[in-house]
Amino acid sequence: MCVEKLKTEFHFPYISFCKSGAQCFAEIFKRINYNDYDEVIVPITLCYSVIKEIIKAKLIPIFADIDENFQISINEIKKAITGKTKAIIYVNQYGYLQNYKSIHFKNKKNK
């Protein structure tokens, strides 16, 4: 009942309650549109339980190095993006916030 009320109130087609971040990503991967062996860019410091969910979803984790603030490096993200990239997972490690507005994504179909 609570889930249906939230769906209606916030106009979300899906709502899931998760007990962990890894379970949350498992639910996300069930709902996003991707092909097997598409890529997900992740920081080299991402916890194994999330990497495991990426692999279980038949996606390929692409590891990007971190910067001096222990955040995934924007330059490394830009280098890692390919036509098979479907997602980027980043963590604001140790409370540092990264300026992700500097990453611009272009739909490969709209060249």
Side-chain angles (χ1 to χ4, degrees):
M1 177 111 112
C2 178
V3 170
E4 292 306 317
K5 184 176 180 182
L6 288 170
K7 284 181 180 180
T8 302
E9 188 170 330
F10 293 103
H11 308 289
F12 291 141
Y14 304 107
I15 292 180
S16 295
F17 293 97
C18 302
K19 63 182 179 181
S20 69
Q23 182 187 20
C24 178
F25 279 107
E27 291 296 318
I28 290 168
F29 294 142
K30 288 178 188 175
R31 290 174 171 77
I32 63 173
N33 185 20
Y34 64 89
N35 297 314
D36 287 354
Y37 311 109
D38 278 343
E39 300 170 348
V40 178
I41 300 171
V42 300
I44 60 170
T45 55
L46 189 65
C47 64
Y48 174 74
S49 59
V50 176
I51 301 297
K52 187 171 73 172
E53 293 303 328
I54 292 169
I55 294 168
K56 280 174 41 179
K58 295 185 180 176
L59 292 162
I60 298 174
I62 303 298
F63 295 95
D65 207 352
I66 56 175
D67 63 18
E68 64 279 353
N69 292 319
F70 305 101
Q71 307 303 307
I72 189 170
S73 166
I74 292 175
N75 289 332
E76 293 295 316
I77 291 172
K78 289 178 179 180
K79 287 188 228 175
I81 293 174
T82 70
K84 293 186 67 73
T85 302
K86 294 299 179 202
I88 300 169
I89 297 175
Y90 64 89
V91 179
N92 288 322
Q93 198 79 8
Y94 308 121
Y96 289 106
L97 300 178
Q98 187 67 277
N99 178 10
Y100 292 101
K101 291 182 181 180
S102 63
I103 302 172
H104 299 283
F105 300 98
K106 186 173 185 178
N107 184 335
K108 302 289 182 192
K109 294 177 187 173
N110 296 329
K111 287 186 177 181

